[in-house]
Amino acid sequence: LGSIGGDAAAERLAKVLSVGEAPLGVAAAQALAATSSPSAEPCLVAALWHVHLEVRVAAAAALGAVGSVTAVPALRSVATEAESRELQQAARRAIAAIQARVPGGAPGQLSLEGANAGELSLSAVETGQVTLTHAVPDAPGARPPERG
């Protein structure tokens, strides 16, 4: 199913992943990575807390192959809180693989934005700079900058 790809295959594999059996779960996670389907990500993220360690490690590895930046917070949680060193390492590798796929992405970069309500970004300069843009007072929901 993994080599067939697509959302339909990912849906079937997600069901197999949630069954609970370790060998099947590992195979399903690996096949989900092979689908290259964005719909594989949510079930792989959920599998990071699967009852079987082998499935959690396989899910982290699969996220390294197909995960997006959306999966990074869950992977960071696993990388810092998991009791298994193997799982922590798999989560860290997955984060690194995801960051390597993001154009201009690198560890430590941050970019948050809101609909005309202000933005925060780190510059590409080696030393790093933080830039805050204040909301335009006329924008809906905007507040003028506080002055101290």
Side-chain angles (χ1 to χ4, degrees):
L1 280 176
S3 61
I4 293 171
D7 291 341
E11 230 176 88
R12 290 187 189 111
L13 289 165
K15 289 179 184 173
V16 173
L17 182 60
S18 66
V19 167
E21 297 296 321
L24 279 176
V26 169
Q30 292 168 342
L32 278 165
T35 66
S36 300
S37 172
S39 64
E41 185 173 324
C43 60
L44 288 169
V45 168
L48 292 173
W49 289 273
H50 195 276
V51 67
H52 296 289
L53 174 63
E54 309 95 293
V55 176
R56 294 193 302 263
V57 171
L63 284 167
V66 298
S68 70
V69 293
T70 305
V72 170
L75 286 163
R76 284 211 174 136
S77 175
V78 168
T80 58
E81 298 172 10
E83 292 180 15
S84 162
R85 184 175 175 96
E86 180 185 13
L87 180 55
Q88 288 176 345
Q89 290 172 340
R92 287 188 188 105
R93 284 190 301 272
I95 292 167
I98 291 168
Q99 287 175 333
R101 286 194 304 273
V102 176
Q109 283 188 323
L110 173 67
S111 178
L112 302 173
E113 61 180 274
N116 295 327
E119 298 176 351
L120 167 68
S121 64
L122 295 181
S123 74
V125 177
E126 194 75 26
T127 58
Q129 295 176 352
V130 176
T131 304
L132 296 172
T133 37
H134 296 288
V136 178
D138 297 2
R143 295 181 304 171
E146 293 182 22
R147 304 207 171 159

